[in-house]
């Protein structure tokens, strides 16, 4: 696999030179300074590419070209935004970029309730406490109809959490939930979040999925001409939030999307932590099942808590998902591609998220994107990959003997 690292551009507290010292060779980034829905100019793409290459690194994956909300709910700017997305793909292809990771989550991207949850070793992890999230929805955001999104036990736990939490705990949850988008440290206001829900009032999962399929069908000619794979990222966490539908949460969701748009350019980002955030997803089996369409991998791990709905970001190879099984499935797929002579045989992976450890506690950083924590994760994953590759080689030698 290609070892990559997410970098948020020149304002990222983690520099390209530090990433190089971590022994990553590929960069995963985007043009974050360009407004959502606008075309990425070729000169801006090449400028960023040159900046990365000047450090001896390669821009390997685009993560991401954000999908405009009007595409998701079919608003008045929908057609313009799809056309601009296609033009951006054309420009990325001209620059030699071949993989784009994107998501189709309405209004809010990943969701957590705690950015720094203390671990037994003294480090910190991100966590999603379902009771705290429901309390935010019901008592802080005060979303109309929030009670309809939870069962009686959930509501009881949410009410208890809110009653027992002090002002500091409530403020921390509010700030963490409102961050909304990766790479951002600015919390959006409650009214802004509430207004974002309004266009989705009558849109269910069937409708949202149909909008995703229409979007992809219109993009496929541009993606295929540019030689680009559009690798969708699963929902994080893979369950409805704020009453909004989510449509990339299960194996059935993935299969339905791949069946609806059969082009090889319609691909998957295997995010182990996202799919692994609910007990019903067998992530190893999903990796094996969809291996031929996986173009990018986020190797992070979570441990689901006793309620089955809360989870925390665990060590990369020690969480609730069998990460060794996932890596093995990806390496087997790489070997199949090489044997078949396929062009994109190598799968880029990155150590997604990481604990806040040592110097991470002192430097400013984007939530989940600490330097030392990710360096530790990459080292562990690299060691696991080497061991699994050696085992596969030995098995092949035994078969030939």
């Amino acid at each position: 696999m290609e070892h990559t690292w997410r970098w948020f551009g020149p304002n990222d507290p983690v520099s390209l030179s530090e990433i190089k010292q971590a022994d990553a060779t590929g960069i995963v980034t985007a043009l974050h300074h360009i407004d959502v829905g606008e075309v990425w100019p070729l000169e801006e793409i090449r400028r960023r590419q040159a900046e990365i290459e000047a450090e001896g690194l390669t821009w390997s994956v685009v993560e991401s070209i954000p999908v405009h909300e009007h595409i998701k709910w079919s608003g008045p700017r929908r057609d313009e935004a799809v056309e601009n997305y296609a033009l951006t793909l054309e420009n990325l292809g001209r620059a030699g970029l071949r993989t784009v990771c994107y998501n189709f989550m309405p209004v809010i991207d990943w969701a957590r309730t705690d950015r720094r949850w203390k671990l037994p070793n003294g480090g910190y992890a991100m966590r999603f406490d379902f009771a705290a999230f429901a309390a935010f929805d019901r008592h802080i955001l005060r979303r109309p109809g929030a009670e309809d999104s939870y069962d009686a036990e959930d509501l009881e736990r949410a009410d208890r959490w809110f009653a027992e939490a002090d002002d500091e705990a409530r403020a921390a949850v509010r700030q963490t939930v409102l961050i909304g988008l990766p790479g951002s440290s600015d919390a959006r206001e409650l009214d802004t979040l509430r207004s974002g829900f309004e266009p989705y009032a009558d849109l269910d999962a069937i409708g949202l999925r149909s909008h995703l399929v229409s979007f992809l069908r219109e993009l496929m000619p541009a993606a295929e001409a540019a030689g680009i794979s559009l690798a969708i990222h699963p929902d994080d966490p893979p369950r409805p939030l704020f009453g909004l539908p989510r449509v990339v949460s299960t194996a059935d969701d993935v299969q339905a999307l791949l069946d609806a748009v059969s082009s090889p350019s319609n691909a998957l980002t295997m995010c182990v932590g996202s799919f692994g955030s609910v007990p019903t997803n067998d992530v190893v089996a999903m990796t094996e099942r969809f291996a031929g369409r996986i173009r990018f991998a986020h190797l992070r791990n979570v441990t689901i808590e006793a309620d089955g709905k809360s989870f925390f970001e665990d060590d990369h190879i020690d969480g609730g998902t069998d990460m060794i099984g996932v890596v093995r499935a990806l390496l087997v797929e790489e070997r199949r591609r090489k044997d078949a002579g396929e062009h994109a045989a190598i799968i880029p992976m990155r150590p997604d998220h990481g604990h806040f450890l040592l110097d991470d506690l002192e430097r400013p950083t984007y939530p989940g994107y600490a330097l030392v924590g990710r360096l530790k994760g990459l080292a562990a994953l690299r060691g696991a990959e080497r061991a699994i590759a050696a085992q596969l080689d030995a098995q092949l030698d035994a078969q030939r003997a």
Side-chain angles (χ1 to χ4, degrees):
M1 289 185 285
E2 180 188 12
H3 302 156
T4 69
W5 192 281
R6 190 166 194 185
W7 181 61
F8 290 100
N11 294 326
D12 195 322
V14 179
S15 69
L16 289 172
S17 63
E18 289 173 318
I19 294 171
K20 190 174 182 180
Q21 291 175 57
D23 284 336
T25 59
I27 294 297
V28 176
T29 193
L31 301 185
H32 297 286
H33 61 287
I34 296 179
D35 291 340
V36 176
E38 299 302 317
V39 178
W40 290 12
L42 180 59
E43 58 270 23
E44 286 292 305
I45 295 168
R46 286 185 167 153
R47 183 178 295 113
R48 181 58 50 82
Q49 201 169 32
E51 184 177 11
I52 292 167
E53 291 174 354
E55 289 289 342
L57 299 164
T58 301
W59 188 356
S60 301
V61 177
V62 178
E63 185 178 353
S64 59
I65 313 171
V67 179
H68 199 285
E69 291 295 317
H70 283 216
I71 295 174
K72 298 173 189 175
W73 61 268
S74 196
R77 286 198 59 193
R78 187 255 180 209
D79 292 347
E80 175 194 358
V82 173
E83 181 180 358
N84 288 349
Y85 209 105
L87 292 172
T88 294
L89 293 180
E90 179 183 335
N91 288 339
L92 289 168
R94 290 171 66 187
L97 288 152
R98 294 293 177 255
T99 304
V100 171
C101 172
Y102 73 104
N103 74 69
F104 211 75
M105 291 179 264
V107 184
I108 194 163
D109 201 327
W110 60 266
R112 300 292 185 271
T113 58
D114 196 331
R115 286 180 287 172
R116 294 200 175 188
W117 184 67
K118 194 163 186 178
L119 297 163
N121 68 357
Y124 294 83
M126 293 202 300
R127 179 172 179 250
F128 180 80
D129 182 332
F130 190 78
F133 183 87
F136 169 86
D137 191 11
R138 181 170 165 84
H139 296 290
I140 298 175
L141 183 63
R142 297 180 181 177
R143 177 173 64 90
E147 62 277 3
D148 297 331
S149 299
Y150 307 95
D151 61 29
E153 184 178 354
D154 290 336
L155 292 173
E156 180 182 353
R157 292 176 59 232
D159 293 346
R160 184 167 61 250
W161 185 95
F162 189 76
E164 295 174 355
D166 58 21
D167 289 344
E168 183 178 359
R170 294 175 183 178
V173 167
R174 169 180 169 146
Q175 184 180 33
T176 301
V177 174
L178 287 176
I179 286 173
L181 294 174
S184 173
S185 58
D186 298 323
R188 293 178 290 179
E189 291 300 318
L190 294 177
D191 286 344
T192 304
L193 182 58
R194 291 188 194 100
S195 65
F197 301 149
E198 294 172 3
Y200 294 92
D202 298 318
L203 189 66
D204 60 11
I206 294 173
L208 183 64
R209 183 177 288 109
S210 72
H211 293 172
L212 171 56
V213 169
S214 295
F215 169 63
L216 286 175
R217 285 176 176 166
E218 290 183 48
L219 279 186
M220 282 305 109
E224 291 168 357
I228 286 176
S229 293
L230 284 168
I232 195 164
H233 186 286
D235 304 323
D236 183 15
R239 58 167 47 92
L241 298 178
F242 299 121
L244 297 168
R246 290 196 161 194
V247 294
V248 193
S249 294
T250 67
D252 287 346
D253 289 340
V254 176
Q255 190 65 62
L257 183 60
L258 297 180
D259 289 345
V261 185
S262 60
S263 168
S265 288
N266 180 27
L268 175 66
T269 294
M270 172 47 68
C271 181
V272 176
S274 292
F275 282 129
S277 298
V278 295
T280 50
N281 282 336
D282 183 337
V283 184
V284 176
M286 292 174 70
T287 306
E288 293 170 344
R289 176 176 174 180
F290 301 118
R293 302 291 281 276
I294 294 172
R295 292 292 179 264
F296 184 33
H298 287 181
L299 301 186
R300 67 179 177 90
N301 217 332
V302 304
T303 289
I304 300 171
E305 299 178 18
D307 64 1
K309 298 174 181 178
S310 303
F311 60 87
F312 66 92
E313 306 271 1
D314 212 328
D315 286 324
H316 288 78
I317 61 172
D318 291 330
T321 295
D322 175 11
M323 186 64 78
I324 302 302
V326 171
V327 172
R328 188 181 192 282
L330 294 173
L331 292 180
V332 167
E333 171 61 16
E334 282 191 337
R335 292 174 182 229
R336 185 202 65 76
R337 294 180 190 181
K338 290 176 185 177
D339 290 344
E342 294 184 15
H343 174 67
I346 303 299
I347 299 172
M349 71 83 159
R350 67 175 177 86
D352 195 15
H353 298 178
H355 292 164
F356 297 89
L357 307 170
L358 304 173
D359 291 351
D360 293 332
L361 303 177
E362 305 301 327
R363 69 157 71 198
T365 187
Y366 294 123
Y369 293 98
L371 171 60
V372 179
R374 282 186 290 167
L375 187 153
K376 176 186 175 184
L378 180 57
L381 291 164
R382 183 184 291 115
E385 180 186 348
R386 290 281 183 91
I388 296 165
Q391 184 184 58
L392 292 173
D393 288 340
Q395 291 172 351
L396 183 60
D397 290 342
Q399 291 170 5
R400 290 171 175 168

